[in-house]
């Protein structure tokens, strides 16, 4: 296991460097002078002389590769630069927004799993029956509604009309209900159908027929064999979704003014806060690669066939 994890980490290094290079290059080619943008964000009138002085101080008069190496060296040392808009270290801004994003992503994935897993299994076990048709119809409706649309509808009903839930911010524990529910409706509907498909595929395997022939109960087959074998693709999908959520769901966080990473990123884009944009891209890259690695490790643990292939 240790060698497998080390090998996966080594594979991630060139990917990380490649994405950071592309991110810096796109920022370098973006319109606008970073020195002028930084001065404007602080309320200073940017005269040509002052802009030139700031450019020299920021190293913007150096060649592209020299700028990239300087930025990359600082990033490896934990210095992502200073935000133009907030005039604070980018790393501090991202770290301060992470708890809200972790909370929103964690509760959303938890609720999605608690809803989709049992409904998908029940739907598969009652294939083409009334209960299956009802679950499939409801999940199809849930997939058809985008998360931002769900958010607006829920906001209108529970915040504006009924006035039972807060509409913005992260003031108390009830503040997370609407943004989380907006995404859970879509994700739970999608995963219910996927769990159903995975379970049906496993139920059609020869080992299930053999288990039934040996007198093992249908419940025992589902819990001990079918469900475990279905977990591998389900965990893959959930892991990747969790990685996306940890990057911040930009529209949902903006609608509900949720103080997470996604809202921070959209503000950085609108204000052309390049250091903050670069820091966000690096964060997204790191978290997505780590989630993928954890998914691969879960494969290694759950599926003995993968362990045998690695040993071979």
């Amino acid at each position: 296991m240790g060698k497998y994890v080390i090998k996966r980490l080594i594979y991630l290094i060139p990917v990380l460097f490649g994405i950071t290079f592309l991110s810096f290059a796109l920022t370098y080619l973006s319109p606008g002078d970073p020195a002028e943008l930084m001065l404007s964000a602080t309320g200073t009138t940017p005269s040509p002389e002052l802009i030139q002085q700031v450019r020299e101080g920021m190293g913007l008069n150096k060649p592209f590769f020299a700028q990239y190496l300087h930025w990359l060296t600082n990033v490896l040392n934990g210095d992502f630069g200073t935000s133009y808009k907030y005039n604070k270290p980018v790393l501090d801004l991202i770290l301060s927004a992470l708890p809200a994003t972790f909370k929103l992503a964690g509760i959303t994935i938890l609720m999605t799993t608690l809803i989709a897993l049992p409904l998908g299994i029940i739907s598969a076990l009652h294939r083409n029956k009334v209960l299956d048709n009802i679950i499939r119809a409801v999940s199809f409706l849930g997939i058809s509604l985008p998360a931002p649309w769900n958010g607006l509808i829920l906001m209108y009903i529970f915040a504006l009309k009924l006035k039972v839930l807060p509409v913005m911010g992260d003031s108390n524990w009830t503040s997370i209900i609407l943004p989380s529910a907006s995404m859970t409706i879509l994700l739970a509907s999608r995963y219910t159908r996927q769990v159903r498909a995975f379970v049906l595929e496993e139920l059609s395997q020869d080992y299930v027929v053999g288990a039934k022939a040996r007198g093992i109960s249908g419940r025992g087959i589902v819990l001990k064999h079918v469900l475990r074998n279905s977990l591998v693709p389900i965990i893959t999908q959930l892991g990747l979704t969790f990685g996306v959520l940890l990057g911040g769901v930009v529209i949902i966080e903006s609608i509900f003014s949720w103080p997470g990473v996604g809202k921070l990123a959209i503000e950085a884009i609108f204000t052309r806060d390049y250091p903050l944009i670069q820091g966000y891209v690096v964060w997204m890259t790191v978290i997505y690669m780590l989630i993928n690695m954890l998914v691969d490790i879960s494969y290694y643990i759950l599926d003995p066939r993968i362990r045998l292939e690695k040993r071979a």
Side-chain angles (χ1 to χ4, degrees):
M1 173 65 76
K3 292 181 179 179
Y4 180 71
V5 173
I6 293 174
K7 185 183 296 185
R8 292 293 303 167
L9 288 173
I10 293 174
Y11 288 158
L12 297 180
I13 293 176
V15 177
L16 179 60
F17 278 105
I19 292 179
T20 57
F21 179 80
L22 290 175
S23 168
F24 187 86
L26 290 174
T27 305
Y28 180 84
L29 297 173
S30 299
D33 188 338
E36 184 177 353
L37 291 173
M38 187 183 71
L39 290 172
S40 300
T42 59
T44 305
T45 303
S47 63
E49 295 79 9
L50 184 58
I51 292 176
Q52 183 61 31
Q53 182 179 352
V54 172
R55 283 182 59 84
E56 292 178 0
M58 297 173 66
L60 298 177
N61 56 337
K62 297 180 180 179
F64 167 77
F65 284 102
Q67 293 184 41
Y68 170 69
L69 290 176
H70 176 72
W71 174 79
L72 183 61
T73 301
N74 289 337
V75 167
L76 294 176
N77 290 323
D79 181 8
F80 288 79
T82 302
S83 167
Y84 298 159
K85 177 182 179 181
Y86 297 99
N87 196 28
K88 294 180 179 179
V90 168
L91 185 59
D92 291 348
L93 291 172
I94 294 177
L95 291 178
S96 64
L98 279 182
T101 295
F102 266 108
K103 182 165 65 172
L104 181 59
I107 291 179
T108 300
I109 286 294
L110 177 62
M111 295 306 300
T112 297
T113 305
L114 292 177
I115 294 172
L117 197 59
L119 287 182
I121 295 172
I122 292 171
S123 181
L125 295 178
H126 295 81
R127 182 180 184 182
N128 295 331
K129 296 181 180 179
V130 176
L131 190 57
D132 178 34
N133 292 333
I134 293 174
I135 293 175
R136 289 166 64 189
V138 173
S139 63
F140 181 78
L141 178 63
I143 292 174
S144 304
L145 299 175
W149 177 258
N150 294 334
L152 294 175
I153 295 298
L154 293 175
M155 183 187 298
Y156 177 77
I157 295 174
F158 294 100
L160 297 181
K161 289 298 183 181
L162 300 179
K163 301 184 185 301
V164 294
L165 291 174
V167 67
M168 299 176 70
D170 184 18
S171 56
N172 53 59
W173 68 270
T174 59
S175 302
I176 201 172
I177 295 177
L178 291 182
S180 178
S182 303
M183 296 182 292
T184 299
I185 292 172
L186 174 63
L187 294 176
S189 301
R190 180 191 304 166
Y191 281 111
T192 295
R193 300 178 73 86
Q194 291 181 346
V195 170
R196 178 184 182 274
F198 293 143
V199 172
L200 285 176
E201 182 180 354
E202 288 299 321
L203 288 173
S204 64
Q205 300 297 320
D206 293 337
Y207 74 86
V208 175
V209 178
K212 289 180 179 179
R214 292 194 298 273
I216 302 177
S217 66
R219 183 177 179 181
I221 295 173
V222 171
L223 294 178
K224 294 181 180 180
H225 303 285
V226 172
L227 184 57
R228 175 165 182 173
N229 291 335
S230 302
L231 280 178
V232 175
I234 293 171
I235 288 176
T236 302
Q237 300 293 329
L238 286 173
L240 297 177
T241 300
F242 188 57
V244 172
L245 293 176
L246 286 181
V249 185
V250 174
I251 299 179
I252 291 297
E253 290 189 0
S254 298
I255 290 175
F256 292 98
S257 293
W258 188 259
V261 178
K263 182 174 179 292
L264 192 68
I266 200 68
E267 291 176 352
I269 293 171
F270 281 131
T271 58
R272 291 192 293 180
D273 193 341
Y274 293 144
L276 190 52
I277 295 172
Q278 291 171 333
Y280 173 76
V281 171
V282 172
W283 158 251
M284 278 292 297
T285 302
V286 171
I287 193 62
Y288 212 74
M289 290 193 305
L290 288 177
I291 290 293
N292 271 280
M293 188 182 71
L294 292 176
V295 168
D296 288 343
I297 293 174
S298 70
Y299 269 16
Y300 191 90
I301 295 173
L302 292 173
D303 195 337
R305 292 170 297 182
I306 297 178
R307 294 198 294 269
L308 292 175
E309 288 177 3
K310 297 299 180 184
R311 289 171 185 172

